[in-house]
Amino acid sequence: MTIGTGTPPIRPVARTAAERRIARELALEPGGPPSLRARLAGRAVRALVKTAWSSVPDSADGLIRFQRLSGLASRAQTVPPGVAIAREDLGTCSAEWVRAGAPDERKVLLYLHGGAYFFGSARLYRPSSWRLSASTGRPVLVLDYRLAPHYGPSDALDDALTAYGFLLESGYAPGDIVVGGDSAGGHLALALLLELRRRGTGLPAAAVCLSPWVDLRCASDSHRLNARSEAVIPAGKLAWLGRVFTAGKGAAHPLLAPRHADLAGLPPLLLVASGSEILRDEVRDLAERAQAAGVGAVYQEWDGLMHVFTVFADFVPEGKAAFRHIAEFLRRTGA
């Protein structure tokens, strides 16, 4: 399912068998059945990630235990030749510059990783960040914001504001910046847009939100309907985290439920979700509300894939294709 205007897919000239395979993968569009490789990868991720997350207790110690597991996984992440990695100290937090090839330094993409606000890192996301840089032709700054259990979403928002301010101070105009994020990072990207608008700070040219967790209350029907088909997130664990993060906050607080915020005036949005994930309905709703508010929002729903399938693009053909769609969206919006 795709809501919004589209452009013809890019199909590069392919001469070898490997090039033809890559061209077929890049040409994939939402609406078709998941590929065999995507189905196999989903089973592997379910056995590893969802099972491991389900096994830790709902406590600070449980969060730290899973953090350590993801930290171990991050050590295995590599990037291909021609990709440059550099650390950036931002004070309360840090970030990682990722440059694939020779990107256009006049533009930049600020990326906010996922992980339910308690795990994940720039290093863990290198398989995504280098593809973002390569496909969009710009450097990517991946933020290592502060995580639970010692910090919460409001601290992560402060760090995102710091990173955005750093880019402005570095000479980038708001129109030269694109903000992206997945899962909790997609939520953080939306919260950042709303806070920048409230402060009167120039908004970025566009935002890309991949399977964003746009309502920390986990109130959408798909949290129940897709609890079994969801391959990454244990629904009960995410709901517990949502209760922790929303305790004492109003139900319509824009940081906690940006899907219910006034979305008028936001830049163009690309919203991507899987039809099988528990966050599906809230992303659908956000897209509809954004379009009703006059925002240039494009919604893509891919059938039968795992949550944030772009993270697994090394194994999931649809993940590779999604980066082409991101690049096309930015070109189409002039971002």
Side-chain angles (χ1 to χ4, degrees), residues 108-112 132 138 141 160 164 167 174 176-181 185-186 188-193 196 203-210 267-270 326 329-330 335:
V108 66
L109 196 154
L110 172 62
Y111 195 77
L112 310 170
L132 268 176
R138 65 193 75 195
L141 183 65
Y164 192 81
L167 293 176
D176 299 326
I177 303 171
V178 170
V179 173
L188 183 56
L190 292 165
L192 174 61
L193 296 181
L196 291 173
L203 292 171
V208 176
C209 298
L210 309 173
L269 302 175
L270 175 61
I326 291 169
F329 169 76
L330 297 185

PDB file of all heavy atoms in Angstrom, residues 108-112 132 138 141 160 164 167 174 176-181 185-186 188-193 196 203-210 267-270 326 329-330 335:
ATOM      1  N   VAL A 108      22.870  17.333   4.446  1.00  0.00           N
ATOM      2  CA  VAL A 108      23.162  16.387   5.521  1.00  0.00           C
ATOM      3  C   VAL A 108      21.873  15.718   5.963  1.00  0.00           C
ATOM      4  O   VAL A 108      20.775  16.300   5.843  1.00  0.00           O
ATOM      5  CB  VAL A 108      23.843  17.113   6.709  1.00  0.00           C
ATOM      6  CG1 VAL A 108      22.880  18.117   7.358  1.00  0.00           C
ATOM      7  CG2 VAL A 108      24.379  16.130   7.735  1.00  0.00           C
ATOM      8  N   LEU A 109      22.003  14.511   6.478  1.00  0.00           N
ATOM      9  CA  LEU A 109      20.863  13.778   7.033  1.00  0.00           C
ATOM     10  C   LEU A 109      21.176  13.443   8.486  1.00  0.00           C
ATOM     11  O   LEU A 109      22.164  12.771   8.776  1.00  0.00           O
ATOM     12  CB  LEU A 109      20.591  12.504   6.234  1.00  0.00           C
ATOM     13  CG  LEU A 109      19.233  11.835   6.429  1.00  0.00           C
ATOM     14  CD1 LEU A 109      18.852  11.030   5.189  1.00  0.00           C
ATOM     15  CD2 LEU A 109      19.212  10.924   7.652  1.00  0.00           C
ATOM     16  N   LEU A 110      20.373  13.945   9.392  1.00  0.00           N
ATOM     17  CA  LEU A 110      20.483  13.630  10.817  1.00  0.00           C
ATOM     18  C   LEU A 110      19.619  12.410  11.098  1.00  0.00           C
ATOM     19  O   LEU A 110      18.403  12.445  10.904  1.00  0.00           O
ATOM     20  CB  LEU A 110      20.012  14.814  11.662  1.00  0.00           C
ATOM     21  CG  LEU A 110      19.889  14.571  13.180  1.00  0.00           C
ATOM     22  CD1 LEU A 110      21.234  14.219  13.797  1.00  0.00           C
ATOM     23  CD2 LEU A 110      19.286  15.799  13.866  1.00  0.00           C
ATOM     24  N   TYR A 111      20.256  11.308  11.539  1.00  0.00           N
ATOM     25  CA  TYR A 111      19.515  10.069  11.748  1.00  0.00           C
ATOM     26  C   TYR A 111      19.448   9.710  13.228  1.00  0.00           C
ATOM     27  O   TYR A 111      20.449   9.766  13.947  1.00  0.00           O
ATOM     28  CB  TYR A 111      20.142   8.907  10.975  1.00  0.00           C
ATOM     29  CG  TYR A 111      19.198   7.731  10.874  1.00  0.00           C
ATOM     30  CD1 TYR A 111      18.150   7.749   9.966  1.00  0.00           C
ATOM     31  CD2 TYR A 111      19.318   6.628  11.722  1.00  0.00           C
ATOM     32  CE1 TYR A 111      17.249   6.698   9.882  1.00  0.00           C
ATOM     33  CE2 TYR A 111      18.428   5.574  11.639  1.00  0.00           C
ATOM     34  CZ  TYR A 111      17.394   5.614  10.721  1.00  0.00           C
ATOM     35  OH  TYR A 111      16.506   4.587  10.644  1.00  0.00           O
ATOM     36  N   LEU A 112      18.245   9.321  13.657  1.00  0.00           N
ATOM     37  CA  LEU A 112      17.959   8.972  15.053  1.00  0.00           C
ATOM     38  C   LEU A 112      17.579   7.493  15.096  1.00  0.00           C
ATOM     39  O   LEU A 112      16.517   7.108  14.607  1.00  0.00           O
ATOM     40  CB  LEU A 112      16.823   9.857  15.582  1.00  0.00           C
ATOM     41  CG  LEU A 112      17.023  11.357  15.328  1.00  0.00           C
ATOM     42  CD1 LEU A 112      15.758  12.138  15.646  1.00  0.00           C
ATOM     43  CD2 LEU A 112      18.206  11.891  16.130  1.00  0.00           C
ATOM     44  N   LEU A 132      22.091   4.772   3.687  1.00  0.00           N
ATOM     45  CA  LEU A 132      21.434   6.077   3.622  1.00  0.00           C
ATOM     46  C   LEU A 132      22.342   7.097   2.951  1.00  0.00           C
ATOM     47  O   LEU A 132      21.906   7.888   2.115  1.00  0.00           O
ATOM     48  CB  LEU A 132      21.067   6.560   5.023  1.00  0.00           C
ATOM     49  CG  LEU A 132      19.688   6.218   5.565  1.00  0.00           C
ATOM     50  CD1 LEU A 132      19.558   6.707   6.994  1.00  0.00           C
ATOM     51  CD2 LEU A 132      18.591   6.814   4.686  1.00  0.00           C
ATOM     52  N   ARG A 138      24.604  12.101   0.508  1.00  0.00           N
ATOM     53  CA  ARG A 138      24.954  13.120   1.498  1.00  0.00           C
ATOM     54  C   ARG A 138      25.512  12.446   2.740  1.00  0.00           C
ATOM     55  O   ARG A 138      25.258  11.262   2.984  1.00  0.00           O
ATOM     56  CB  ARG A 138      23.723  13.969   1.852  1.00  0.00           C
ATOM     57  CG  ARG A 138      22.614  13.202   2.549  1.00  0.00           C
ATOM     58  CD  ARG A 138      21.324  14.007   2.586  1.00  0.00           C
ATOM     59  NE  ARG A 138      20.683  14.034   1.274  1.00  0.00           N
ATOM     60  CZ  ARG A 138      19.713  14.878   0.925  1.00  0.00           C
ATOM     61  NH1 ARG A 138      19.277  15.768   1.791  1.00  0.00           N
ATOM     62  NH2 ARG A 138      19.194  14.835  -0.278  1.00  0.00           N
ATOM     63  N   LEU A 141      24.676  11.966   9.867  1.00  0.00           N
ATOM     64  CA  LEU A 141      25.101  12.095  11.255  1.00  0.00           C
ATOM     65  C   LEU A 141      24.147  11.269  12.109  1.00  0.00           C
ATOM     66  O   LEU A 141      22.971  11.604  12.237  1.00  0.00           O
ATOM     67  CB  LEU A 141      25.079  13.556  11.708  1.00  0.00           C
ATOM     68  CG  LEU A 141      25.585  13.825  13.132  1.00  0.00           C
ATOM     69  CD1 LEU A 141      27.075  13.500  13.254  1.00  0.00           C
ATOM     70  CD2 LEU A 141      25.314  15.268  13.549  1.00  0.00           C
ATOM     71  N   ALA A 160      18.649  15.391  20.618  1.00  0.00           N
ATOM     72  CA  ALA A 160      18.324  15.634  19.210  1.00  0.00           C
ATOM     73  C   ALA A 160      18.353  17.129  18.895  1.00  0.00           C
ATOM     74  O   ALA A 160      18.832  17.539  17.825  1.00  0.00           O
ATOM     75  CB  ALA A 160      16.953  15.043  18.883  1.00  0.00           C
ATOM     76  N   TYR A 164      20.780  18.952  16.180  1.00  0.00           N
ATOM     77  CA  TYR A 164      20.248  19.846  15.149  1.00  0.00           C
ATOM     78  C   TYR A 164      20.915  21.215  15.251  1.00  0.00           C
ATOM     79  O   TYR A 164      21.308  21.807  14.234  1.00  0.00           O
ATOM     80  CB  TYR A 164      18.736  19.960  15.299  1.00  0.00           C
ATOM     81  CG  TYR A 164      18.036  20.626  14.129  1.00  0.00           C
ATOM     82  CD1 TYR A 164      17.739  19.898  12.985  1.00  0.00           C
ATOM     83  CD2 TYR A 164      17.672  21.967  14.174  1.00  0.00           C
ATOM     84  CE1 TYR A 164      17.083  20.495  11.901  1.00  0.00           C
ATOM     85  CE2 TYR A 164      17.023  22.572  13.108  1.00  0.00           C
ATOM     86  CZ  TYR A 164      16.734  21.833  11.971  1.00  0.00           C
ATOM     87  OH  TYR A 164      16.095  22.429  10.904  1.00  0.00           O
ATOM     88  N   LEU A 167      24.351  21.167  13.773  1.00  0.00           N
ATOM     89  CA  LEU A 167      24.364  21.247  12.313  1.00  0.00           C
ATOM     90  C   LEU A 167      24.141  22.677  11.841  1.00  0.00           C
ATOM     91  O   LEU A 167      24.791  23.136  10.883  1.00  0.00           O
ATOM     92  CB  LEU A 167      23.306  20.313  11.725  1.00  0.00           C
ATOM     93  CG  LEU A 167      23.561  18.813  11.912  1.00  0.00           C
ATOM     94  CD1 LEU A 167      22.393  17.999  11.367  1.00  0.00           C
ATOM     95  CD2 LEU A 167      24.863  18.385  11.247  1.00  0.00           C
ATOM     96  N   PRO A 174      18.515  25.205   7.541  1.00  0.00           N
ATOM     97  CA  PRO A 174      17.469  24.207   7.770  1.00  0.00           C
ATOM     98  C   PRO A 174      17.062  23.460   6.501  1.00  0.00           C
ATOM     99  O   PRO A 174      16.821  22.257   6.529  1.00  0.00           O
ATOM    100  CB  PRO A 174      16.310  25.028   8.338  1.00  0.00           C
ATOM    101  CG  PRO A 174      16.989  26.175   9.026  1.00  0.00           C
ATOM    102  CD  PRO A 174      18.178  26.504   8.158  1.00  0.00           C
ATOM    103  N   ASP A 176      18.864  22.549   4.181  1.00  0.00           N
ATOM    104  CA  ASP A 176      19.894  21.598   3.776  1.00  0.00           C
ATOM    105  C   ASP A 176      19.861  20.321   4.610  1.00  0.00           C
ATOM    106  O   ASP A 176      20.636  19.396   4.361  1.00  0.00           O
ATOM    107  CB  ASP A 176      21.286  22.219   3.921  1.00  0.00           C
ATOM    108  CG  ASP A 176      21.468  23.453   3.062  1.00  0.00           C
ATOM    109  OD1 ASP A 176      20.886  23.498   1.961  1.00  0.00           O
ATOM    110  OD2 ASP A 176      22.174  24.386   3.499  1.00  0.00           O
ATOM    111  N   ILE A 177      18.979  20.280   5.612  1.00  0.00           N
ATOM    112  CA  ILE A 177      18.950  19.180   6.575  1.00  0.00           C
ATOM    113  C   ILE A 177      17.719  18.321   6.343  1.00  0.00           C
ATOM    114  O   ILE A 177      16.612  18.835   6.138  1.00  0.00           O
ATOM    115  CB  ILE A 177      18.948  19.714   8.024  1.00  0.00           C
ATOM    116  CG1 ILE A 177      20.171  20.600   8.268  1.00  0.00           C
ATOM    117  CG2 ILE A 177      18.911  18.562   9.033  1.00  0.00           C
ATOM    118  CD1 ILE A 177      20.128  21.342   9.610  1.00  0.00           C
ATOM    119  N   VAL A 178      17.896  17.015   6.396  1.00  0.00           N
ATOM    120  CA  VAL A 178      16.795  16.053   6.452  1.00  0.00           C
ATOM    121  C   VAL A 178      16.942  15.284   7.760  1.00  0.00           C
ATOM    122  O   VAL A 178      18.054  14.941   8.168  1.00  0.00           O
ATOM    123  CB  VAL A 178      16.827  15.077   5.258  1.00  0.00           C
ATOM    124  CG1 VAL A 178      15.838  13.931   5.455  1.00  0.00           C
ATOM    125  CG2 VAL A 178      16.528  15.818   3.963  1.00  0.00           C
ATOM    126  N   VAL A 179      15.836  15.048   8.435  1.00  0.00           N
ATOM    127  CA  VAL A 179      15.832  14.264   9.671  1.00  0.00           C
ATOM    128  C   VAL A 179      15.209  12.909   9.385  1.00  0.00           C
ATOM    129  O   VAL A 179      14.178  12.823   8.702  1.00  0.00           O
ATOM    130  CB  VAL A 179      15.057  14.988  10.789  1.00  0.00           C
ATOM    131  CG1 VAL A 179      14.918  14.094  12.019  1.00  0.00           C
ATOM    132  CG2 VAL A 179      15.757  16.287  11.166  1.00  0.00           C
ATOM    133  N   GLY A 180      15.841  11.859   9.874  1.00  0.00           N
ATOM    134  CA  GLY A 180      15.303  10.515   9.712  1.00  0.00           C
ATOM    135  C   GLY A 180      15.380   9.741  11.005  1.00  0.00           C
ATOM    136  O   GLY A 180      16.137  10.105  11.916  1.00  0.00           O
ATOM    137  N   GLY A 181      14.595   8.688  11.092  1.00  0.00           N
ATOM    138  CA  GLY A 181      14.638   7.841  12.275  1.00  0.00           C
ATOM    139  C   GLY A 181      13.732   6.639  12.105  1.00  0.00           C
ATOM    140  O   GLY A 181      12.835   6.635  11.259  1.00  0.00           O
ATOM    141  N   GLY A 185      13.346   6.055  17.237  1.00  0.00           N
ATOM    142  CA  GLY A 185      13.992   7.164  16.553  1.00  0.00           C
ATOM    143  C   GLY A 185      13.055   7.892  15.610  1.00  0.00           C
ATOM    144  O   GLY A 185      13.200   9.101  15.387  1.00  0.00           O
ATOM    145  N   GLY A 186      12.073   7.182  15.033  1.00  0.00           N
ATOM    146  CA  GLY A 186      11.052   7.835  14.235  1.00  0.00           C
ATOM    147  C   GLY A 186      10.159   8.709  15.100  1.00  0.00           C
ATOM    148  O   GLY A 186       9.762   9.815  14.704  1.00  0.00           O
ATOM    149  N   LEU A 188      11.172  10.070  17.865  1.00  0.00           N
ATOM    150  CA  LEU A 188      12.030  11.186  18.248  1.00  0.00           C
ATOM    151  C   LEU A 188      12.141  12.213  17.123  1.00  0.00           C
ATOM    152  O   LEU A 188      12.175  13.429  17.381  1.00  0.00           O
ATOM    153  CB  LEU A 188      13.410  10.643  18.631  1.00  0.00           C
ATOM    154  CG  LEU A 188      14.449  11.640  19.143  1.00  0.00           C
ATOM    155  CD1 LEU A 188      13.930  12.423  20.339  1.00  0.00           C
ATOM    156  CD2 LEU A 188      15.743  10.907  19.507  1.00  0.00           C
ATOM    157  N   ALA A 189      12.190  11.750  15.872  1.00  0.00           N
ATOM    158  CA  ALA A 189      12.240  12.674  14.742  1.00  0.00           C
ATOM    159  C   ALA A 189      10.989  13.552  14.708  1.00  0.00           C
ATOM    160  O   ALA A 189      11.069  14.767  14.484  1.00  0.00           O
ATOM    161  CB  ALA A 189      12.384  11.894  13.434  1.00  0.00           C
ATOM    162  N   LEU A 190       9.821  12.947  14.933  1.00  0.00           N
ATOM    163  CA  LEU A 190       8.577  13.724  14.946  1.00  0.00           C
ATOM    164  C   LEU A 190       8.540  14.685  16.122  1.00  0.00           C
ATOM    165  O   LEU A 190       8.116  15.844  15.994  1.00  0.00           O
ATOM    166  CB  LEU A 190       7.383  12.772  14.996  1.00  0.00           C
ATOM    167  CG  LEU A 190       7.162  11.936  13.734  1.00  0.00           C
ATOM    168  CD1 LEU A 190       6.215  10.789  14.017  1.00  0.00           C
ATOM    169  CD2 LEU A 190       6.634  12.800  12.593  1.00  0.00           C
ATOM    170  N   ALA A 191       8.983  14.212  17.297  1.00  0.00           N
ATOM    171  CA  ALA A 191       9.027  15.084  18.468  1.00  0.00           C
ATOM    172  C   ALA A 191       9.967  16.263  18.225  1.00  0.00           C
ATOM    173  O   ALA A 191       9.699  17.393  18.650  1.00  0.00           O
ATOM    174  CB  ALA A 191       9.471  14.293  19.695  1.00  0.00           C
ATOM    175  N   LEU A 192      11.080  16.008  17.539  1.00  0.00           N
ATOM    176  CA  LEU A 192      12.015  17.079  17.208  1.00  0.00           C
ATOM    177  C   LEU A 192      11.357  18.115  16.307  1.00  0.00           C
ATOM    178  O   LEU A 192      11.491  19.337  16.535  1.00  0.00           O
ATOM    179  CB  LEU A 192      13.253  16.483  16.535  1.00  0.00           C
ATOM    180  CG  LEU A 192      14.289  17.470  15.993  1.00  0.00           C
ATOM    181  CD1 LEU A 192      14.861  18.330  17.119  1.00  0.00           C
ATOM    182  CD2 LEU A 192      15.399  16.737  15.249  1.00  0.00           C
ATOM    183  N   LEU A 193      10.639  17.677  15.289  1.00  0.00           N
ATOM    184  CA  LEU A 193       9.951  18.615  14.398  1.00  0.00           C
ATOM    185  C   LEU A 193       8.970  19.484  15.170  1.00  0.00           C
ATOM    186  O   LEU A 193       8.905  20.711  14.967  1.00  0.00           O
ATOM    187  CB  LEU A 193       9.210  17.850  13.301  1.00  0.00           C
ATOM    188  CG  LEU A 193      10.036  17.037  12.304  1.00  0.00           C
ATOM    189  CD1 LEU A 193       9.113  16.376  11.279  1.00  0.00           C
ATOM    190  CD2 LEU A 193      11.087  17.875  11.615  1.00  0.00           C
ATOM    191  N   LEU A 196      10.920  22.005  17.356  1.00  0.00           N
ATOM    192  CA  LEU A 196      11.504  23.062  16.534  1.00  0.00           C
ATOM    193  C   LEU A 196      10.436  24.055  16.098  1.00  0.00           C
ATOM    194  O   LEU A 196      10.658  25.274  16.122  1.00  0.00           O
ATOM    195  CB  LEU A 196      12.193  22.451  15.306  1.00  0.00           C
ATOM    196  CG  LEU A 196      13.456  21.636  15.557  1.00  0.00           C
ATOM    197  CD1 LEU A 196      13.899  20.957  14.265  1.00  0.00           C
ATOM    198  CD2 LEU A 196      14.580  22.495  16.130  1.00  0.00           C
ATOM    199  N   LEU A 203      12.613  24.664  10.243  1.00  0.00           N
ATOM    200  CA  LEU A 203      12.393  23.221  10.131  1.00  0.00           C
ATOM    201  C   LEU A 203      13.234  22.628   9.024  1.00  0.00           C
ATOM    202  O   LEU A 203      13.569  23.300   8.042  1.00  0.00           O
ATOM    203  CB  LEU A 203      10.912  22.938   9.854  1.00  0.00           C
ATOM    204  CG  LEU A 203       9.949  23.265  10.991  1.00  0.00           C
ATOM    205  CD1 LEU A 203       8.506  23.156  10.509  1.00  0.00           C
ATOM    206  CD2 LEU A 203      10.177  22.333  12.166  1.00  0.00           C
ATOM    207  N   PRO A 204      13.600  21.351   9.144  1.00  0.00           N
ATOM    208  CA  PRO A 204      14.357  20.691   8.069  1.00  0.00           C
ATOM    209  C   PRO A 204      13.529  20.576   6.804  1.00  0.00           C
ATOM    210  O   PRO A 204      12.308  20.792   6.805  1.00  0.00           O
ATOM    211  CB  PRO A 204      14.672  19.318   8.669  1.00  0.00           C
ATOM    212  CG  PRO A 204      13.605  19.086   9.683  1.00  0.00           C
ATOM    213  CD  PRO A 204      13.302  20.436  10.260  1.00  0.00           C
ATOM    214  N   ALA A 205      14.202  20.211   5.723  1.00  0.00           N
ATOM    215  CA  ALA A 205      13.536  20.141   4.427  1.00  0.00           C
ATOM    216  C   ALA A 205      12.526  19.006   4.356  1.00  0.00           C
ATOM    217  O   ALA A 205      11.529  19.096   3.636  1.00  0.00           O
ATOM    218  CB  ALA A 205      14.579  19.974   3.317  1.00  0.00           C
ATOM    219  N   ALA A 206      12.770  17.922   5.084  1.00  0.00           N
ATOM    220  CA  ALA A 206      11.891  16.751   5.048  1.00  0.00           C
ATOM    221  C   ALA A 206      12.257  15.841   6.210  1.00  0.00           C
ATOM    222  O   ALA A 206      13.274  16.037   6.885  1.00  0.00           O
ATOM    223  CB  ALA A 206      12.042  16.000   3.723  1.00  0.00           C
ATOM    224  N   ALA A 207      11.399  14.849   6.438  1.00  0.00           N
ATOM    225  CA  ALA A 207      11.666  13.849   7.464  1.00  0.00           C
ATOM    226  C   ALA A 207      11.267  12.476   6.943  1.00  0.00           C
ATOM    227  O   ALA A 207      10.271  12.343   6.224  1.00  0.00           O
ATOM    228  CB  ALA A 207      10.920  14.162   8.761  1.00  0.00           C
ATOM    229  N   VAL A 208      12.061  11.492   7.320  1.00  0.00           N
ATOM    230  CA  VAL A 208      11.817  10.099   6.930  1.00  0.00           C
ATOM    231  C   VAL A 208      11.654   9.284   8.205  1.00  0.00           C
ATOM    232  O   VAL A 208      12.568   9.224   9.036  1.00  0.00           O
ATOM    233  CB  VAL A 208      12.995   9.543   6.097  1.00  0.00           C
ATOM    234  CG1 VAL A 208      12.784   8.065   5.783  1.00  0.00           C
ATOM    235  CG2 VAL A 208      13.176  10.356   4.819  1.00  0.00           C
ATOM    236  N   CYS A 209      10.492   8.672   8.373  1.00  0.00           N
ATOM    237  CA  CYS A 209      10.196   7.915   9.593  1.00  0.00           C
ATOM    238  C   CYS A 209       9.866   6.470   9.212  1.00  0.00           C
ATOM    239  O   CYS A 209       8.869   6.209   8.544  1.00  0.00           O
ATOM    240  CB  CYS A 209       9.026   8.542  10.349  1.00  0.00           C
ATOM    241  SG  CYS A 209       9.349  10.226  10.921  1.00  0.00           S
ATOM    242  N   LEU A 210      10.711   5.563   9.656  1.00  0.00           N
ATOM    243  CA  LEU A 210      10.585   4.147   9.321  1.00  0.00           C
ATOM    244  C   LEU A 210      10.003   3.394  10.513  1.00  0.00           C
ATOM    245  O   LEU A 210      10.628   3.343  11.572  1.00  0.00           O
ATOM    246  CB  LEU A 210      11.955   3.578   8.949  1.00  0.00           C
ATOM    247  CG  LEU A 210      12.733   4.382   7.893  1.00  0.00           C
ATOM    248  CD1 LEU A 210      14.141   3.837   7.731  1.00  0.00           C
ATOM    249  CD2 LEU A 210      11.995   4.393   6.560  1.00  0.00           C
ATOM    250  N   PRO A 267       7.260  19.711   7.617  1.00  0.00           N
ATOM    251  CA  PRO A 267       7.794  19.488   6.259  1.00  0.00           C
ATOM    252  C   PRO A 267       7.286  18.168   5.691  1.00  0.00           C
ATOM    253  O   PRO A 267       6.646  17.377   6.398  1.00  0.00           O
ATOM    254  CB  PRO A 267       9.308  19.447   6.500  1.00  0.00           C
ATOM    255  CG  PRO A 267       9.444  18.946   7.905  1.00  0.00           C
ATOM    256  CD  PRO A 267       8.293  19.551   8.651  1.00  0.00           C
ATOM    257  N   PRO A 268       7.560  17.892   4.435  1.00  0.00           N
ATOM    258  CA  PRO A 268       7.143  16.612   3.846  1.00  0.00           C
ATOM    259  C   PRO A 268       7.643  15.423   4.651  1.00  0.00           C
ATOM    260  O   PRO A 268       8.765  15.423   5.155  1.00  0.00           O
ATOM    261  CB  PRO A 268       7.780  16.645   2.450  1.00  0.00           C
ATOM    262  CG  PRO A 268       7.923  18.098   2.142  1.00  0.00           C
ATOM    263  CD  PRO A 268       8.218  18.768   3.442  1.00  0.00           C
ATOM    264  N   LEU A 269       6.781  14.410   4.771  1.00  0.00           N
ATOM    265  CA  LEU A 269       7.084  13.226   5.564  1.00  0.00           C
ATOM    266  C   LEU A 269       6.997  11.984   4.693  1.00  0.00           C
ATOM    267  O   LEU A 269       6.029  11.818   3.941  1.00  0.00           O
ATOM    268  CB  LEU A 269       6.092  13.073   6.722  1.00  0.00           C
ATOM    269  CG  LEU A 269       5.958  14.206   7.729  1.00  0.00           C
ATOM    270  CD1 LEU A 269       4.823  13.899   8.719  1.00  0.00           C
ATOM    271  CD2 LEU A 269       7.254  14.430   8.485  1.00  0.00           C
ATOM    272  N   LEU A 270       7.984  11.097   4.821  1.00  0.00           N
ATOM    273  CA  LEU A 270       7.870   9.750   4.288  1.00  0.00           C
ATOM    274  C   LEU A 270       7.697   8.817   5.465  1.00  0.00           C
ATOM    275  O   LEU A 270       8.549   8.759   6.358  1.00  0.00           O
ATOM    276  CB  LEU A 270       9.122   9.356   3.492  1.00  0.00           C
ATOM    277  CG  LEU A 270       9.157   7.908   2.997  1.00  0.00           C
ATOM    278  CD1 LEU A 270       7.998   7.616   2.054  1.00  0.00           C
ATOM    279  CD2 LEU A 270      10.492   7.582   2.315  1.00  0.00           C
ATOM    280  N   ILE A 326      13.513   6.055  -0.412  1.00  0.00           N
ATOM    281  CA  ILE A 326      13.879   7.234   0.386  1.00  0.00           C
ATOM    282  C   ILE A 326      14.552   8.278  -0.495  1.00  0.00           C
ATOM    283  O   ILE A 326      14.213   9.474  -0.454  1.00  0.00           O
ATOM    284  CB  ILE A 326      14.801   6.830   1.542  1.00  0.00           C
ATOM    285  CG1 ILE A 326      14.039   5.994   2.566  1.00  0.00           C
ATOM    286  CG2 ILE A 326      15.406   8.066   2.223  1.00  0.00           C
ATOM    287  CD1 ILE A 326      14.925   5.330   3.621  1.00  0.00           C
ATOM    288  N   PHE A 329      12.038   9.935  -2.754  1.00  0.00           N
ATOM    289  CA  PHE A 329      11.194  10.874  -2.000  1.00  0.00           C
ATOM    290  C   PHE A 329      11.934  12.195  -1.798  1.00  0.00           C
ATOM    291  O   PHE A 329      11.347  13.276  -1.985  1.00  0.00           O
ATOM    292  CB  PHE A 329      10.828  10.247  -0.657  1.00  0.00           C
ATOM    293  CG  PHE A 329      10.196  11.203   0.308  1.00  0.00           C
ATOM    294  CD1 PHE A 329       8.869  11.595   0.153  1.00  0.00           C
ATOM    295  CD2 PHE A 329      10.910  11.720   1.382  1.00  0.00           C
ATOM    296  CE1 PHE A 329       8.288  12.473   1.053  1.00  0.00           C
ATOM    297  CE2 PHE A 329      10.338  12.600   2.275  1.00  0.00           C
ATOM    298  CZ  PHE A 329       9.009  12.990   2.110  1.00  0.00           C
ATOM    299  N   LEU A 330      13.212  12.139  -1.430  1.00  0.00           N
ATOM    300  CA  LEU A 330      13.959  13.380  -1.200  1.00  0.00           C
ATOM    301  C   LEU A 330      14.149  14.157  -2.496  1.00  0.00           C
ATOM    302  O   LEU A 330      14.051  15.388  -2.511  1.00  0.00           O
ATOM    303  CB  LEU A 330      15.306  13.058  -0.557  1.00  0.00           C
ATOM    304  CG  LEU A 330      15.242  12.415   0.833  1.00  0.00           C
ATOM    305  CD1 LEU A 330      16.651  12.251   1.408  1.00  0.00           C
ATOM    306  CD2 LEU A 330      14.381  13.223   1.784  1.00  0.00           C
ATOM    307  N   ALA A 335      14.432  17.992  -1.285  1.00  0.00           N
ATOM    308  CA  ALA A 335      15.167  18.068  -0.011  1.00  0.00           C
ATOM    309  C   ALA A 335      16.632  17.708  -0.204  1.00  0.00           C
ATOM    310  O   ALA A 335      16.993  16.985  -1.127  1.00  0.00           O
ATOM    311  CB  ALA A 335      14.515  17.109   0.991  1.00  0.00           C
TER     312      ALA A 335
END
